[in-house]
């Protein structure tokens, strides 16, 4: 329940979520905004719990399984990993994008960050981010494998 609350609190911090929320629940921009928000909520969950006087003893479970957006967050972790990066190390940067950048163009901001940090071409990273929500895992995996070769 706390994780879900933290996710909703993060929505109040997002830039552009008001516009994204007016899109269909299945629109790629809205789904990406939700995925990024959930990823950030999972990564920053321990601080939230600590501010309430507790300890996030289930943080690893929350990070990898969490309350919502399981497939798209797991795929986001895979994109970050394919870039040779660690989601925990990017927590502050992901939170900044989620809070400060217009989410109507959120995936481009993330692709730019990952390209800068990894040295891989932004276009290949963007192509993988664009497929976070496809049903076909083979198609996603193929695009994911193209990050380093594009």
């Amino acid at each position: 329940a706390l994780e879900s609350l933290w996710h909703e609190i993060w929505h109040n911090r997002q830039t552009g979520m008001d516009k994204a929320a007016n899109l269909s629940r299945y629109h790629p921009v809205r789904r990406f905004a939700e995925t990024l928000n959930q990823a950030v909520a999972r990564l920053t969950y321990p601080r939230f719990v600590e501010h309430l006087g507790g300890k996030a003893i289930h943080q690893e479970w929350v990070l990898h399984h969490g309350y919502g957006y399981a497939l798209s967050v797991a795929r986001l972790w895979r994109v970050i990993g394919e870039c040779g990066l660690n989601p925990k190390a990017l927590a502050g940067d992901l939170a900044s994008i989620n809070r400060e950048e217009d989410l109507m163009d959120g995936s481009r901001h993330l692709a730019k960050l990952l390209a800068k940090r990894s040295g891989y071409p932004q276009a290949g990273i963007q192509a993988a981010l664009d497929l976070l929500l496809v049903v076909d895992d083979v198609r996603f995996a193929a695009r994911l494998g193209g990050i380093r070769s594009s």
Side-chain angles (χ1 to χ4, degrees), residues 12-66:
N12 290 315
R13 298 173 169 184
Q14 288 179 302
T15 301
M17 189 57 191
D18 54 336
K19 293 179 273 183
N22 285 324
L23 301 170
S24 157
R25 286 180 3 163
Y26 302 104
H27 191 283
V29 169
R30 182 171 178 178
R31 296 293 293 183
F32 180 82
E34 289 286 0
T35 298
L36 179 61
N37 192 60
Q38 180 64 18
V40 169
R42 288 183 189 187
L43 287 166
T44 61
Y45 177 74
R47 283 183 284 160
F48 175 61
V49 172
E50 288 166 12
H51 283 302
L52 296 175
K55 183 175 169 122
I57 58 174
H58 302 291
Q59 174 57 16
E60 285 305 309
W61 184 90
V62 167
L63 190 62
H64 298 290
H65 304 287

Side-chain angles (χ1 to χ4, degrees), residues 79 82-83 107-132 140 142-150:
V79 170
E82 188 66 20
C83 291
S107 67
R108 186 182 63 79
H109 293 293
L110 181 55
K112 182 178 178 181
L113 168 72
L114 295 177
K116 179 179 178 183
R117 290 290 181 93
S118 69
Y120 294 120
Q122 184 175 339
I125 296 168
Q126 182 68 59
L129 291 174
D130 288 344
L131 294 180
L132 286 180
F140 171 75
R143 186 64 73 181
L144 183 67
I147 286 175
R148 296 179 185 218
S149 63
S150 46

